[in-house]
Amino acid sequence: MSPLVERADRLAALAREREIDLLLVSEPLNLRWLTGFTGSNGLAVLGTAHSGPQGLFITDFRYVGQVAEQVPPLWDRREASLELLGPALSEHMPEWAGEGRPRVGFDERHVTVAQLGRVREAIGERCELAPAGGLVEELREVKDAGEVSRIREAAHLADRALREVLERGLAGRTEAEVALDLEIAMRRHGAEALAFPPIVASGEHGALPHAEPRAIVIEPGVLVTIDWGARLEGYCSDCTRTYAVGEPGDLEREVYAVVLRAQEAALAAIRPGLEGREVDAVAREVIERAGYGEHFGHGLGHGVGLAVHEGPRLSRHGEQPLMAGMVVTDEPGIYLPGRCGVRIEDLVVVTEDGADVLGTLPKGLQVVD
Ligand code: ZN
Ligand code: ZN
């Protein structure tokens, strides 16, 4: 079975368990995962009957050729000139052969209130609409070998770009200049896009976990946190390193050592079956014992795939057990307001008995120019 047919098959089975007869999928990343379609306007209608997955794929004039190339014939491909989540659905929805009215699942996390109103107007009399969001996201969490290798490639590419930027030095350039340099380097190394705008945060700005690069020159004697990722064939990478520009102070060294210990402890703990919150607790305990617990205010990590932030969550609230094939980050940090911040982030794939790091960069405290 080709991967796309298999995905439709597994999604149909999952939707059937939730008593959904027809599932609507329109969110672009979910649609890409399910059908291969990379455009911005498409609607998949997946039938979940036991006889095997059957689907309709509706798009507009702009994407008809692209759909023919990307979406496999499992999907009955149609063109519509009207709003997909609305009148087009009424026109193309398959005749219902089952008893009563079909239960049509929509994604309440992504379908807007206005869209739902139009869907209701178009097909509300013929079917029962039921919220069924999160099913595709649930399946997306476990990656197949092809997905893992794309993420690994994206991570390697991002690493090469960072190495190149470090060779040019950080001191004397502004945070914004370094961020732009990194963006261009990733694109030149083959990234189709950025996974997200890079964070380059020096000195006291390092204490802001999601700092925006400033037009401020990086001075010797500070720590610089860089968080960046590339996108390749749709898949994201995500990595953070913190560097010392010139000799760091004692406090900076100590904080770095604590974060590194926490990061490595969590990395060693990751394995299938462990809940996200249990992995989070491993890193958090190291940081708390060192006395910095209140300065680690975010979760340990998150899933990465077509989206840079997706499930599962590795945080105090992550109740989901890890499974082999999940790709997650391990990124503890300590943020000292007005002084400095350290975050170290690796991207890893959960294996049968542990985790494989997908990046290539060393983690010991590195002093750079
Ligand atoms: Zn990151
Ligand atoms: Zn991250």
Side-chain angles (χ1 to χ4, degrees):
M1 218 188 274
S2 84
L4 291 180
V5 176
E6 203 218 314
R7 287 175 189 178
D9 204 39
R10 283 164 49 217
L11 180 62
L14 189 60
R16 195 161 57 230
E17 272 174 33
R18 318 272 163 105
E19 298 178 333
I20 298 296
D21 299 308
L22 291 167
L23 183 67
L24 307 179
V25 179
S26 59
E27 193 280 322
L29 296 184
N30 285 341
L31 209 53
R32 178 174 188 154
W33 180 87
L34 180 63
T35 69
F37 178 64
T38 59
S40 65
N41 194 36
L43 173 64
V45 185
L46 180 66
T48 68
H50 279 283
S51 51
Q54 279 193 326
L56 267 183
F57 190 99
I58 314 173
T59 190
D60 68 58
F61 172 79
R62 295 168 299 168
Y63 293 116
V64 171
Q66 187 174 333
V67 166
E69 279 173 22
Q70 294 180 326
V71 178
L74 151 74
W75 299 92
D76 178 2
R77 295 157 292 187
R78 310 273 182 87
E79 181 187 343
S81 57
L82 299 161
E83 188 77 38
L84 301 185
L85 280 164
L89 200 49
S90 162
E91 191 182 324
H92 292 284
M93 230 185 47
E95 280 302 316
W96 178 243
E99 279 174 32
R101 296 189 305 168
R103 256 166 71 86
V104 175
F106 68 93
D107 189 341
E108 74 280 12
R109 301 180 191 189
H110 296 292
V111 170
T112 65
V113 174
Q115 286 170 329
L116 184 60
R118 285 194 287 272
V119 169
R120 206 166 260 143
E121 208 169 292
I123 60 170
E125 282 181 6
R126 286 191 272 154
C127 48
E128 181 193 339
L129 288 165
L135 301 184
V136 183
E137 282 90 341
E138 188 179 320
L139 295 178
R140 272 170 48 192
E141 288 181 359
V142 175
K143 273 70 183 173
D144 63 30
E147 293 179 291
V148 173
S149 80
R150 286 187 190 101
I151 297 169
R152 191 190 305 269
E153 278 304 304
H156 286 192
L157 180 163
D159 288 355
R160 286 197 295 277
L162 186 83
R163 283 203 173 92
E164 195 187 294
V165 169
L166 289 180
E167 274 169 25
R168 291 192 270 276
L170 299 178
R173 304 161 83 188
T174 68
E175 294 173 354
E177 281 165 1
V178 171
L180 177 62
D181 193 10
L182 185 53
E183 289 185 21
I184 294 169
M186 282 192 275
R187 295 283 281 132
R188 219 184 313 104
H189 281 275
E192 69 195 9
L194 307 172
F196 54 91
I199 293 168
V200 177
S202 68
E204 83 291 345
H205 226 222
L208 309 179
H210 275 187
E212 285 174 21
R214 301 168 295 176
I216 280 184
V217 173
I218 297 171
E219 305 286 351
V222 299
L223 297 181
V224 181
T225 298
I226 304 180
D227 188 343
W228 78 110
R231 189 182 294 263
L232 195 64
E233 292 180 54
Y235 286 83
C236 298
S237 73
D238 184 10
C239 181
T240 307
R241 288 292 183 269
T242 300
Y243 296 98
V245 177
E247 269 313 302
D250 290 343
L251 177 68
E252 280 81 0
R253 277 189 187 281
E254 180 190 307
V255 168
Y256 193 96
V258 173
V259 174
L260 183 57
R261 273 210 311 281
Q263 204 273 348
E264 289 183 330
L267 189 56
I270 292 175
R271 62 171 189 281
L274 211 61
E275 290 175 12
R277 60 185 175 184
E278 294 175 296
V279 187
D280 177 273
V282 171
R284 202 165 295 282
E285 200 193 313
V286 173
I287 291 174
E288 278 170 2
R289 251 190 290 131
Y292 293 102
E294 63 172 308
H295 299 295
F296 173 28
H298 58 72
L300 178 69
H302 53 87
V304 176
L306 288 169
V308 70
H309 287 116
E310 55 182 48
R313 289 210 287 182
L314 276 63
S315 76
R316 279 184 274 221
H317 312 291
E319 292 178 16
Q320 195 186 346
L322 294 177
M323 292 163 73
M326 285 179 167
V327 172
V328 298
T329 67
D330 168 13
E331 50 177 311
I334 293 177
Y335 309 92
L336 303 180
R339 178 73 187 250
C340 66
V342 173
R343 181 168 65 257
I344 303 170
E345 173 177 30
D346 275 333
L347 186 59
V348 308
V349 57
V350 181
T351 61
E352 294 300 331
D353 55 3
D356 268 350
V357 176
L358 297 173
T360 61
L361 296 171
K363 280 186 296 205
L365 180 55
Q366 234 180 300
V367 177
V368 301
D369 292 334

